[in-house]
Amino acid sequence: MLIFNREFRRNLKMLIIWSVIISGLMILTLSAFPEVVKQQKAIDQIIKGMPTALIKAFDMDVLNISDALGYYATKGYIMITLFGAIYAVMLGGNILSKEHSEKTIEFLLSKPVLRSNVITQKLLAVFVNVMLFNLIVAAANYIGFKSVDATIDFKVFASLTAAPLMLHLLFAAISFFLSSSLKKSRNAMPISLGLVFVMYFLYIVAGIADKYAKIKYVSPFEYVNAADIIINKGLDTIYMSIMVGVIIISIFATYIVYRKKDITI
Amino acid sequence: MAVIELNDLTKNYGKNRGIKNVSFSVEEGEIFGFIGPNGSGKSTTIRTLLNYIYPSSGMAAIFGKDIVRDSLTIRRHTGYLPAEVYYYDDMRAGELLRYSQSFYGKNNNKRIAELAERLDLELNKKIEDLSSGNKKKVAIIQALAHEPKLLILDEPTGGLDPLMQNTFFRILREEKQKNTTIFLSSHILSEVQRICDRVAIIKEGEIIKVEVIEALIRNQFKKITIILANDQHQDLAIEGVIKQERLGNRVHLLYGGKIKALINNLKDLDIKDLFIEEPTLDEIFMHYYEK
C-alpha cells in the first residue's frame, strides 16, 4: 500500500480544502432556510414572476421550497453535484497522469511493482478521497438540517447523499481511464473537466427547452436529479445501474489498456 | 551464465527510431558497454529490457527470465539508473530513497548513508533544490542500495564532475568484485574504454559489432602519423587505410591493415618522422559513426 499511502498524504490538503469549502457553503445555505419559510409568501410571488423556463430548469415547479429537503434540492444540491464532479475529475485525471507528465513514472516502474498494482492503489486513493469528501459534506448537511430544526425523511436524505457520490465516482473513473489511455495523459484532466461542463449544460438545456427534453438521458446529472429523488422517495434503479456499469467498464478498460501501454517518456 | 540475453529483439516505433534484430548477451560479473550516438536505439533497448515498452518481435531474457512475463522478478534484482533523473519535487532526497527501498521490502539505511557519504550528498535536502549532478547521485544510490545482481545504467556519468565520476567508477568496480553484472550505455567512449570488459556498438537501431575492448583497440587499428620532409602532395593509396587526413606536411591515418604492407608503401617516401600509436576508442568509432 506504499503508493496509496503516498497519494493519500499528497492529496489530503486538497480533500480538506474542497470539503471545508463545500461543507461551509451547505451550512450557510441551510441556515437561511428559516428566513425562507418566513418569507414564503413573498418568495412565491417572486417565483411566479420568474420565467417558466428558469423555474423548470431548477425544478422549482415540482419542488416545494418551504420543505427543507425541497429547499436543499434547489439551492445546495446542485453545488454538491457540480463542484464535487469537478473535484472528482481533478483527482482522477491527475493522479496517474502526474507521474507521466513529471516523468516520475520511470522511477516508479523501475521498482518491483506491477502496473496493475499501481492502478489499484491509485484508483483506491481516488475513490477513498471522493467518498470522504461526500461523507464530510453529508455530515455538514445533516448538521445544517438539525440546526434549523428541519424534519427530514431519512431515506430521501440518504438518497440525496448517495446519488452525488455515484456521480462523482463515475466522473472519477472516466477521467482516470482517460489518463491511462490517452497518449498525452496530461490532457485527461482538461478533457474530463470539459465533459463535466458539457454534461451539466445538456442537463440544464434539456430542463429549459421541451423540444430538447430527450437530451437529458445522455447526462448523468439527470440520473441524479434531486426532484426525481424527492418525488420518488428514492433512487432510480435503472439510472444507478447504468452508472455502476460505466464505472465498472471504465475500471476494467483502465487495467487492460494500461497493462499493455508503451511507457514512453 | 548469460545474465542478459537478447535474441532478434525488435521494436518498431511507428515512424520513429526503433531497434532492429538486436542480439547479444552479457555474462555474469562483466561490465558491458553499450555505445552509439544519440538516437541510435540505446535507450529503446534499455526501455524494452525493463518492460517500459513492449517488443514488436524477438525476445530477451534477464537472469534467464522473460523480460515481459517475468518483469516483476527481474526488477526486484535489478538497479536502474536513468539518463535523466525525474523525481517527486515535494520529497527530500532521504525520503525518496526510503520510498524507493520500501518497494524491495528491505531496510538499507546503512548502505544509503554510506553511499551518500561517499558521493557527498546531503539527504535532508529537497529534491527540487538539488542540482542535476546531485539528483544523479540520488539516482545512483536508489539503483545500488538494494544490492541488485544487475545494474542497468543509461548514460551514467552525465552531470557528474570528474571527481565524482572517479568515485562512481570505483564504486562500480567494487560492485564487479561482488560479481554484480553491469550493463551501461554511453556515447562517451573514453569512459567505456576505462571501465568496460566488452562493448556492443549500435547504430541506427542495429548492432554493428560486439567486441572485447582490448581487441577493438589493439588488434585491428593503428593510429599513424607521418611527418613528411616537404609539402609533397602524393596520395598515400595504401590498402587498409580507413581514414586519411592531411594537414600541411602531416598525414594522419587510421590503419587497419598489415604493418609490413604499410612499411613497404612508406619506404620510398621522404619521411621526417613517423608515429605508430594505439588509437582511442573515439577515433575508432568516429569511423563507425560516419559510415
mmCIF file of all heavy atoms in Angstrom, chain A residues 161-179:
data_model
loop_
_atom_site.group_PDB
_atom_site.id
_atom_site.type_symbol
_atom_site.label_atom_id
_atom_site.label_comp_id
_atom_site.label_asym_id
_atom_site.label_seq_id
_atom_site.Cartn_x
_atom_site.Cartn_y
_atom_site.Cartn_z
ATOM 1 N N THR A 161 -27.765 11.850 -0.690
ATOM 2 C CA THR A 161 -26.338 11.765 -0.366
ATOM 3 C C THR A 161 -25.648 10.750 -1.270
ATOM 4 O O THR A 161 -24.541 10.987 -1.753
ATOM 5 C CB THR A 161 -26.160 11.347 1.108
ATOM 6 O OG1 THR A 161 -26.837 12.296 1.931
ATOM 7 C CG2 THR A 161 -24.689 11.312 1.489
ATOM 8 N N ALA A 162 -26.336 9.635 -1.506
ATOM 9 C CA ALA A 162 -25.725 8.558 -2.293
ATOM 10 C C ALA A 162 -25.621 8.925 -3.778
ATOM 11 O O ALA A 162 -24.630 8.590 -4.443
ATOM 12 C CB ALA A 162 -26.532 7.274 -2.135
ATOM 13 N N ALA A 163 -26.635 9.659 -4.288
ATOM 14 C CA ALA A 163 -26.656 9.962 -5.721
ATOM 15 C C ALA A 163 -25.439 10.795 -6.169
ATOM 16 O O ALA A 163 -24.765 10.421 -7.138
ATOM 17 C CB ALA A 163 -27.961 10.649 -6.099
ATOM 18 N N PRO A 164 -25.108 11.900 -5.469
ATOM 19 C CA PRO A 164 -23.919 12.646 -5.889
ATOM 20 C C PRO A 164 -22.645 11.810 -5.762
ATOM 21 O O PRO A 164 -21.746 11.911 -6.596
ATOM 22 C CB PRO A 164 -23.856 13.830 -4.915
ATOM 23 C CG PRO A 164 -25.204 13.947 -4.346
ATOM 24 C CD PRO A 164 -25.803 12.581 -4.363
ATOM 25 N N LEU A 165 -22.587 10.953 -4.747
ATOM 26 C CA LEU A 165 -21.409 10.088 -4.588
ATOM 27 C C LEU A 165 -21.229 9.230 -5.836
ATOM 28 O O LEU A 165 -20.119 9.130 -6.379
ATOM 29 C CB LEU A 165 -21.564 9.200 -3.347
ATOM 30 C CG LEU A 165 -20.486 8.133 -3.151
ATOM 31 C CD1 LEU A 165 -19.119 8.781 -2.920
ATOM 32 C CD2 LEU A 165 -20.820 7.206 -1.995
ATOM 33 N N MET A 166 -22.341 8.652 -6.312
ATOM 34 C CA MET A 166 -22.264 7.836 -7.524
ATOM 35 C C MET A 166 -21.782 8.661 -8.713
ATOM 36 O O MET A 166 -20.953 8.221 -9.497
ATOM 37 C CB MET A 166 -23.635 7.245 -7.861
ATOM 38 C CG MET A 166 -24.087 6.124 -6.936
ATOM 39 S SD MET A 166 -22.927 4.761 -6.917
ATOM 40 C CE MET A 166 -23.029 4.275 -8.613
ATOM 41 N N LEU A 167 -22.350 9.873 -8.813
ATOM 42 C CA LEU A 167 -21.976 10.755 -9.924
ATOM 43 C C LEU A 167 -20.472 11.071 -9.878
ATOM 44 O O LEU A 167 -19.781 11.027 -10.898
ATOM 45 C CB LEU A 167 -22.780 12.059 -9.839
ATOM 46 C CG LEU A 167 -22.503 13.079 -10.933
ATOM 47 C CD1 LEU A 167 -23.295 12.741 -12.184
ATOM 48 C CD2 LEU A 167 -22.851 14.491 -10.465
ATOM 49 N N HIS A 168 -19.966 11.358 -8.676
ATOM 50 C CA HIS A 168 -18.544 11.699 -8.531
ATOM 51 C C HIS A 168 -17.653 10.507 -8.853
ATOM 52 O O HIS A 168 -16.620 10.647 -9.511
ATOM 53 C CB HIS A 168 -18.266 12.202 -7.117
ATOM 54 C CG HIS A 168 -19.062 13.420 -6.755
ATOM 55 N ND1 HIS A 168 -19.319 13.798 -5.456
ATOM 56 C CD2 HIS A 168 -19.685 14.332 -7.541
ATOM 57 C CE1 HIS A 168 -20.061 14.889 -5.457
ATOM 58 N NE2 HIS A 168 -20.296 15.239 -6.710
ATOM 59 N N LEU A 169 -18.071 9.316 -8.377
ATOM 60 C CA LEU A 169 -17.282 8.114 -8.676
ATOM 61 C C LEU A 169 -17.260 7.871 -10.180
ATOM 62 O O LEU A 169 -16.237 7.490 -10.748
ATOM 63 C CB LEU A 169 -17.854 6.887 -7.953
ATOM 64 C CG LEU A 169 -17.731 6.887 -6.423
ATOM 65 C CD1 LEU A 169 -18.385 5.639 -5.841
ATOM 66 C CD2 LEU A 169 -16.271 6.964 -5.983
ATOM 67 N N LEU A 170 -18.391 8.139 -10.830
ATOM 68 C CA LEU A 170 -18.488 7.953 -12.275
ATOM 69 C C LEU A 170 -17.489 8.857 -13.001
ATOM 70 O O LEU A 170 -16.694 8.398 -13.820
ATOM 71 C CB LEU A 170 -19.910 8.254 -12.751
ATOM 72 C CG LEU A 170 -20.120 8.245 -14.270
ATOM 73 C CD1 LEU A 170 -20.232 6.817 -14.771
ATOM 74 C CD2 LEU A 170 -21.373 9.026 -14.653
ATOM 75 N N PHE A 171 -17.516 10.158 -12.663
ATOM 76 C CA PHE A 171 -16.598 11.074 -13.339
ATOM 77 C C PHE A 171 -15.142 10.767 -12.995
ATOM 78 O O PHE A 171 -14.253 10.888 -13.843
ATOM 79 C CB PHE A 171 -16.941 12.528 -12.996
ATOM 80 C CG PHE A 171 -18.048 13.087 -13.840
ATOM 81 C CD1 PHE A 171 -19.252 13.477 -13.289
ATOM 82 C CD2 PHE A 171 -17.879 13.210 -15.221
ATOM 83 C CE1 PHE A 171 -20.284 13.986 -14.081
ATOM 84 C CE2 PHE A 171 -18.900 13.712 -16.022
ATOM 85 C CZ PHE A 171 -20.108 14.102 -15.443
ATOM 86 N N ALA A 172 -14.890 10.349 -11.762
ATOM 87 C CA ALA A 172 -13.522 9.999 -11.363
ATOM 88 C C ALA A 172 -13.034 8.801 -12.186
ATOM 89 O O ALA A 172 -11.908 8.809 -12.701
ATOM 90 C CB ALA A 172 -13.470 9.682 -9.876
ATOM 91 N N ALA A 173 -13.891 7.790 -12.338
ATOM 92 C CA ALA A 173 -13.495 6.588 -13.067
ATOM 93 C C ALA A 173 -13.232 6.899 -14.544
ATOM 94 O O ALA A 173 -12.264 6.404 -15.137
ATOM 95 C CB ALA A 173 -14.571 5.509 -12.942
ATOM 96 N N ILE A 174 -14.081 7.764 -15.134
ATOM 97 C CA ILE A 174 -13.891 8.115 -16.548
ATOM 98 C C ILE A 174 -12.604 8.901 -16.739
ATOM 99 O O ILE A 174 -11.809 8.613 -17.639
ATOM 100 C CB ILE A 174 -15.105 8.923 -17.072
ATOM 101 C CG1 ILE A 174 -16.343 8.020 -17.143
ATOM 102 C CG2 ILE A 174 -14.811 9.515 -18.452
ATOM 103 C CD1 ILE A 174 -17.628 8.746 -17.482
ATOM 104 N N SER A 175 -12.356 9.882 -15.870
ATOM 105 C CA SER A 175 -11.144 10.685 -16.038
ATOM 106 C C SER A 175 -9.894 9.838 -15.788
ATOM 107 O O SER A 175 -8.871 10.018 -16.441
ATOM 108 C CB SER A 175 -11.165 11.910 -15.119
ATOM 109 O OG SER A 175 -11.191 11.506 -13.775
ATOM 110 N N PHE A 176 -10.003 8.894 -14.854
ATOM 111 C CA PHE A 176 -8.859 8.011 -14.597
ATOM 112 C C PHE A 176 -8.580 7.134 -15.811
ATOM 113 O O PHE A 176 -7.423 6.956 -16.212
ATOM 114 C CB PHE A 176 -9.141 7.131 -13.376
ATOM 115 C CG PHE A 176 -7.925 6.429 -12.852
ATOM 116 C CD1 PHE A 176 -7.127 7.018 -11.887
ATOM 117 C CD2 PHE A 176 -7.554 5.176 -13.336
ATOM 118 C CE1 PHE A 176 -5.989 6.381 -11.412
ATOM 119 C CE2 PHE A 176 -6.413 4.540 -12.872
ATOM 120 C CZ PHE A 176 -5.635 5.147 -11.902
ATOM 121 N N PHE A 177 -9.655 6.632 -16.410
ATOM 122 C CA PHE A 177 -9.480 5.814 -17.621
ATOM 123 C C PHE A 177 -8.814 6.641 -18.718
ATOM 124 O O PHE A 177 -7.876 6.191 -19.382
ATOM 125 C CB PHE A 177 -10.811 5.265 -18.109
ATOM 126 C CG PHE A 177 -10.745 4.721 -19.506
ATOM 127 C CD1 PHE A 177 -10.010 3.569 -19.782
ATOM 128 C CD2 PHE A 177 -11.364 5.372 -20.563
ATOM 129 C CE1 PHE A 177 -9.901 3.085 -21.078
ATOM 130 C CE2 PHE A 177 -11.264 4.892 -21.862
ATOM 131 C CZ PHE A 177 -10.530 3.744 -22.114
ATOM 132 N N LEU A 178 -9.302 7.891 -18.906
ATOM 133 C CA LEU A 178 -8.705 8.743 -19.945
ATOM 134 C C LEU A 178 -7.217 8.958 -19.683
ATOM 135 O O LEU A 178 -6.398 8.881 -20.594
ATOM 136 C CB LEU A 178 -9.427 10.097 -19.998
ATOM 137 C CG LEU A 178 -10.816 10.087 -20.634
ATOM 138 C CD1 LEU A 178 -11.461 11.462 -20.518
ATOM 139 C CD2 LEU A 178 -10.735 9.671 -22.095
ATOM 140 N N SER A 179 -6.851 9.186 -18.433
ATOM 141 C CA SER A 179 -5.439 9.450 -18.139
ATOM 142 C C SER A 179 -4.586 8.214 -18.372
ATOM 143 O O SER A 179 -3.394 8.317 -18.644
ATOM 144 C CB SER A 179 -5.270 9.968 -16.709
ATOM 145 O OG SER A 179 -5.348 8.909 -15.797
#
